Amino acid sequence: MLVVVVAAGYQLVANWGEVSGTLTAIPWHSLLLSQLTVVAGIVAGTMAWQVIVNDLGKPIGAFRGAQIMLVGSLGKYVPGSVWAYLLQMELGRKAGLPRARIFTGSLLNIGFSVVGSLVLGLFALPIMLRDTPSALWLFALLPIGLAALHPRVLTWGTSLVLRVLKRQPLDHTLRWRTIGKALGWVLVAYFCYGLHLWLLANAIGDPGLSGLVLSTGAMSLGLTIGLFAFVLPSGAGVREAVLVAALSTAMPTGQAIAFAAASRVMFMLADIVMAGLAALMARWRANDEPEAAELPPVP
């Protein structure tokens, strides 16, 4: 962590003149639109997780599911991203759900996220070949991941995880509909994240459609590589390195660093706000349910 922070800090200070100039040149409406796309991506990612968890048992409800997913995800900012999954399991237990179900759903969600990000990351493949060839090993996971999405294979793997956790295996085969919906929401989430980065760059330049494709691929790969760097809080430094490498092909390095730094702050802000809103909505719904139960039945 110390090495990553020092290296990132050095790059930030060395290019501070261009970084500060870039950040102050971004209009407020561009920042707002970019922030809203991050929120949209988080909502889509939450929907993907919810689709998976609901297929593993009785539906848990949108508000309660959002609370478990979003509040639990804040654990990723603690070194060792395992804390996010532990927090999700604990929140699920308090909601009356088995820990194994929440853990299995989160594990499957990681698999869908990796596959979805690699599919979109293909758009940034030329950049990766030129600037970060060592990251190409990630794409070796894509054929395996796509094959693992077959309902029978995915059901077998899920049941195996449950047996390891000394829980009953799935009593049904995961459906194509569930797999398609979860993967679709993941792709929407990563596209929103790429659009967020493109809106920042578009505020002071003209990246065009090719810039949107590059931003989407770079953001997808950056988030996935950051996921594997689990000893760092939310992949700090790793994701930014991928973004800077990709954006530097179309703009000065100082601007690329500024956009990567702004993106990190905007993601943190969206994570905290969305987690807080999800917790408030879940508490409101829980307080409202007893009152609804006392109402006379509707004729």
Side-chain angles (χ1 to χ4, degrees):
M1 283 183 60
L2 181 61
V3 172
V4 170
V5 171
V6 170
Y10 173 78
Q11 291 294 328
L12 195 63
V13 172
N15 296 273
W16 180 247
E18 197 165 13
V19 169
S20 60
T22 300
L23 293 178
T24 55
I26 300 176
W28 68 268
H29 59 271
S30 295
L31 284 174
L32 178 60
L33 285 174
S34 184
Q35 184 71 73
L36 289 176
T37 57
V38 176
V39 172
I42 291 175
V43 171
T46 303
M47 291 298 297
W49 180 89
Q50 183 102 35
V51 167
I52 298 168
V53 174
N54 283 346
D55 197 76
L56 297 176
K58 183 180 178 181
I60 61 178
F63 292 139
R64 181 63 66 189
Q67 180 192 32
I68 296 171
M69 170 60 176
L70 295 175
V71 177
S73 293
L74 295 179
K76 67 186 178 184
Y77 290 107
V78 179
S81 296
V82 67
W83 296 111
Y85 311 118
L86 291 175
L87 184 53
Q88 287 173 351
M89 286 190 290
E90 182 62 20
L91 289 170
R93 184 193 66 80
K94 290 185 176 181
L97 302 171
R99 288 190 179 98
R101 179 182 174 188
I102 299 299
F103 175 74
T104 304
S106 297
L107 194 64
L108 285 172
N109 189 53
I110 292 174
F112 280 105
S113 298
V114 171
V115 172
S117 67
L118 290 179
V119 169
L120 293 179
L122 290 172
F123 295 114
L125 188 56
I127 302 300
M128 303 303 295
L129 283 171
R130 184 177 63 187
D131 296 325
T132 319
S134 59
L136 292 179
W137 65 269
L138 279 171
F139 288 95
L141 300 176
L142 184 55
I144 300 174
L146 290 173
L149 292 183
H150 190 281
R152 292 185 178 180
V153 177
L154 196 59
T155 301
W156 174 83
T158 303
S159 296
L160 179 62
V161 171
L162 290 172
R163 288 192 185 96
V164 171
L165 297 174
K166 298 181 180 180
R167 295 294 185 270
Q168 290 295 323
L170 290 179
D171 57 359
H172 66 284
T173 301
L174 293 171
R175 297 169 295 176
W176 277 115
R177 180 181 178 183
T178 299
I179 295 171
K181 287 175 65 176
L183 184 60
W185 280 118
V186 165
L187 292 175
V188 170
Y190 281 117
F191 174 76
C192 288
Y193 297 149
L195 181 60
H196 140 78
L197 187 63
W198 180 83
L199 285 170
L200 289 178
N202 192 60
I204 60 173
D206 186 20
L209 181 60
S210 61
L212 176 59
V213 173
L214 177 61
S215 296
T216 302
M219 182 63 78
S220 301
L221 288 178
L223 289 169
T224 297
I225 296 175
L227 181 67
F228 285 97
F230 56 88
V231 296
L232 300 174
S234 190
V238 178
R239 182 174 80 196
E240 285 71 24
V242 175
L243 296 184
V244 170
L247 294 176
S248 295
T249 62
M251 62 184 66
T253 301
Q255 288 187 356
I257 293 174
F259 291 140
S263 177
R264 167 66 65 173
V265 174
M266 294 170 79
F267 265 84
M268 291 179 63
L269 178 62
D271 281 335
I272 294 171
V273 171
M274 292 298 290
L277 288 176
L280 289 175
M281 292 298 291
R283 177 166 295 186
W284 167 79
R285 186 62 179 269
N287 292 335
D288 192 53
E289 284 176 352
E291 297 179 4
E294 296 174 1
L295 294 176
V298 178

